Amino acid sequence: MVHLISPWHIVLLAVIPTNVASEVIRGVNLGGWLVTEEWITPSVFSSTRTDDEWSLCNALGKDKCRSQLENHWKTFFTRDDFVDIKATGLNAIRIPVGYWAVDVQEDEPYVGGQYPYLIQAVGWASEIGLQVLIDLHGAPGSQNGQDNSGLIGPVLFPSNSTNSDRSLTVLRNLTQEFTKDIYGSTVTGIELLNEPRLSDPNFPMTQLRSFYADAAEIVRNASTRPLNITFHDAFWGPSYWSNYDPTDPSSTAPANDLT
């Protein structure tokens, strides 16, 4: 059901003139579902007084955390919500996922189990006629130090190549899965990384652009059909990114299939 603290956030209202789509996209973000955020779903966190999913699972332990989150994933959004979204005149949804939905290590408190719900959501969207943008919302080490990355604290994503490599593996996995014929063309895009927070010298723009280049190449090579690539501007504004092509630094025109 749709909750009063609404996880529906308008995230796209744009004309995308690419090989993937050329239409006005009106969409909502399904926040607080497969990546929990305390301000959206305080009831999930209330028993632990924690503020992010890493700390929640660390406090509860893996078994209890998995049980609690499994109930949340089952009930927070249902097929009826997707029908309501379509009925309002919207045509797209953005689904945030954390890297731990694909790749969680034993020494990390996170729990997996989100992936079947992502598959189910794409199936619902396909049946109802909604496009889907899948967003890598949380990367290993945290790309912004905020709760929406899964872990509040220092920005450690850029501190070692393992974090980047694991993120690329997740993007490859998502691309390979959701460009399979069984999903049709429901998934129209992959967002490479949500809201990275840059700072010199720890996380410079050059490092982010390098990650975007690697990630864009991964998605394009892993996709079995045309797929839009979405990237966050890292709060630098659209003028900085004019004529941007992640795989061609000398580009003088925007890349196709890129938003």
Coordinates of all heavy atoms in Angstrom, one line a residue, residues 2 8 14 20 24 26 33 38 41-42 44 65 82 91 109 123 136 140 163-165 167 179 190 194 205 237 259:
V2 N 0.3 2.4 -0.4 CA 1.0 3.6 -0.4 C 0.9 4.3 0.9 O -0.2 4.4 1.5 CB 0.5 4.6 -1.5 CG1 1.2 5.9 -1.5 CG2 0.6 3.9 -2.9
W8 N 7.0 7.9 -2.9 CA 6.9 8.3 -4.2 C 7.5 9.7 -4.4 O 7.0 10.6 -3.9 CB 5.5 8.4 -4.7 CG 4.7 7.1 -4.7 CD1 4.9 5.9 -4.1 CD2 3.5 6.9 -5.5 NE1 4.0 5.0 -4.4 CE2 3.0 5.6 -5.2 CE3 2.7 7.7 -6.3 CZ2 1.9 5.1 -5.8 CZ3 1.6 7.2 -6.9 CH2 1.2 5.9 -6.6
A14 N 11.1 14.4 -18.4 CA 12.0 14.8 -19.4 C 11.7 14.2 -20.8 O 11.0 13.2 -20.8 CB 13.4 14.4 -19.0
V20 N 16.8 4.6 -27.3 CA 16.0 3.8 -26.4 C 14.6 4.3 -26.3 O 13.6 3.6 -26.4 CB 16.6 3.7 -25.0 CG1 15.7 2.9 -24.1 CG2 18.0 3.1 -25.1
V24 N 8.1 11.7 -23.4 CA 8.2 12.4 -22.1 C 8.1 11.3 -21.1 O 7.2 10.4 -21.1 CB 7.0 13.4 -21.9 CG1 7.0 13.9 -20.5 CG2 7.1 14.5 -22.9
R26 N 7.5 10.4 -17.3 CA 7.0 10.9 -16.0 C 7.0 9.7 -15.0 O 6.3 8.7 -15.2 CB 5.5 11.4 -16.2 CG 5.4 12.6 -17.1 CD 3.9 13.0 -17.2 NE 3.8 14.3 -18.0 CZ 3.6 14.3 -19.3 NH1 3.6 13.1 -20.0 NH2 3.5 15.4 -19.9
W33 N 12.3 1.1 -0.1 CA 11.8 -0.3 -0.3 C 13.0 -1.3 -0.2 O 13.2 -1.9 0.8 CB 11.0 -0.4 -1.6 CG 10.4 -1.7 -1.8 CD1 10.0 -2.7 -0.9 CD2 10.0 -2.3 -3.1 NE1 9.4 -3.7 -1.5 CE2 9.3 -3.5 -2.9 CE3 10.0 -1.8 -4.4 CZ2 8.8 -4.3 -3.9 CZ3 9.5 -2.6 -5.4 CH2 8.9 -3.8 -5.2
E38 N 15.6 5.5 7.1 CA 14.9 5.7 8.3 C 13.8 6.8 8.2 O 12.8 6.7 8.8 CB 15.9 6.1 9.5 CG 15.3 6.0 10.9 CD 14.7 7.3 11.3 OE1 15.0 8.4 10.7 OE2 13.8 7.3 12.2
T41 N 10.9 5.1 6.3 CA 10.3 3.9 7.1 C 10.8 3.9 8.5 O 11.5 3.0 8.9 CB 10.6 2.6 6.3 OG1 12.0 2.5 6.2 CG2 9.9 2.6 4.9
P42 N 10.4 4.8 9.3 CA 10.9 4.8 10.7 C 10.5 3.6 11.5 O 11.3 3.2 12.4 CB 10.3 6.1 11.3 CG 9.1 6.4 10.4 CD 9.5 6.0 9.1
V44 N 10.7 0.6 10.6 CA 11.7 -0.5 10.4 C 12.8 -0.4 11.4 O 13.4 -1.4 11.8 CB 12.2 -0.5 8.9 CG1 13.3 -1.5 8.7 CG2 11.0 -0.8 8.0
C65 N 17.5 -9.6 11.1 CA 17.4 -8.5 10.2 C 16.8 -9.0 8.9 O 15.9 -8.3 8.3 CB 18.8 -7.9 9.9 SG 18.7 -6.4 8.9
F82 N 1.5 -0.4 -8.1 CA 2.0 -0.2 -9.5 C 0.8 0.1 -10.3 O 0.9 1.0 -11.2 CB 2.7 -1.5 -10.0 CG 4.1 -1.7 -9.5 CD1 4.4 -1.6 -8.1 CD2 5.1 -1.9 -10.4 CE1 5.7 -1.8 -7.7 CE2 6.4 -2.1 -9.9 CZ 6.7 -2.0 -8.6
N91 N 4.3 6.9 -16.2 CA 4.7 5.8 -17.1 C 6.1 5.2 -16.8 O 6.6 4.3 -17.5 CB 4.8 6.3 -18.6 CG 5.8 7.4 -18.8 OD1 6.6 7.7 -18.0 ND2 5.7 8.1 -20.0
P109 N 27.4 -6.7 7.6 CA 26.2 -7.0 8.3 C 25.0 -7.1 7.4 O 23.9 -7.6 7.8 CB 26.0 -5.9 9.4 CG 26.8 -4.7 8.8 CD 28.0 -5.4 8.1
G123 N 8.5 -7.5 -13.3 CA 7.4 -8.3 -13.9 C 6.1 -7.6 -13.8 O 5.3 -7.5 -14.8
L136 N 21.7 2.0 -8.9 CA 22.6 1.5 -7.9 C 22.7 2.6 -6.8 O 23.4 3.6 -7.0 CB 24.0 1.3 -8.5 CG 25.1 0.8 -7.5 CD1 24.6 -0.5 -6.8 CD2 26.4 0.5 -8.2
P140 N 29.8 -0.1 -2.3 CA 30.7 -0.5 -1.2 C 31.5 0.7 -0.7 O 32.0 1.5 -1.5 CB 31.6 -1.6 -1.9 CG 30.8 -2.1 -3.0 CD 30.0 -1.0 -3.5
N163 N 36.2 -1.5 -4.1 CA 34.9 -1.0 -4.0 C 34.4 -0.7 -5.4 O 33.2 -1.0 -5.7 CB 34.9 0.3 -3.2 CG 35.1 0.0 -1.7 OD1 34.9 -1.1 -1.2 ND2 35.6 1.0 -1.0
S164 N 35.2 -0.1 -6.3 CA 34.8 0.1 -7.6 C 34.6 -1.1 -8.4 O 33.6 -1.3 -9.1 CB 35.9 1.0 -8.3 OG 35.6 1.2 -9.7
D165 N 35.5 -2.1 -8.2 CA 35.3 -3.4 -9.0 C 34.0 -4.1 -8.6 O 33.3 -4.7 -9.4 CB 36.5 -4.3 -8.7 CG 37.8 -3.8 -9.3 OD1 37.7 -2.9 -10.2 OD2 38.9 -4.2 -8.9
S167 N 31.3 -2.7 -7.5 CA 30.2 -2.0 -8.1 C 30.0 -2.3 -9.5 O 28.9 -2.5 -10.0 CB 30.4 -0.5 -7.9 OG 30.5 -0.1 -6.5
T179 N 18.2 -7.3 -19.2 CA 18.0 -7.2 -20.7 C 17.7 -8.6 -21.3 O 17.7 -8.7 -22.5 CB 19.3 -6.6 -21.3 OG1 20.4 -7.4 -21.0 CG2 19.5 -5.2 -20.9
I190 N 19.8 1.9 -16.7 CA 20.5 1.6 -15.5 C 21.2 2.9 -15.0 O 21.9 3.5 -15.8 CB 21.6 0.5 -15.7 CG1 21.0 -0.8 -16.2 CG2 22.5 0.3 -14.5 CD1 20.2 -1.6 -15.2
N194 N 24.1 6.6 -7.4 CA 23.3 7.6 -6.9 C 24.1 8.6 -6.0 O 24.8 8.3 -5.1 CB 22.2 7.0 -6.0 CG 21.3 8.0 -5.4 OD1 20.6 8.7 -6.1 ND2 21.3 8.2 -4.1
M205 N 36.8 14.6 -9.0 CA 35.9 14.4 -10.2 C 36.6 13.5 -11.2 O 35.9 12.7 -11.9 CB 35.6 15.8 -10.9 CG 34.9 15.6 -12.2 SD 33.3 14.8 -12.0 CE 32.3 16.2 -11.4
G237 N 25.9 20.3 -11.5 CA 25.0 21.0 -12.4 C 25.2 20.6 -13.9 O 26.2 20.1 -14.3
T259 N 21.5 9.8 -20.0 CA 20.8 10.8 -19.4 C 21.4 11.1 -18.0 O 22.1 10.3 -17.5 CB 19.3 10.5 -19.1 OG1 19.2 9.2 -18.4 CG2 18.5 10.4 -20.4

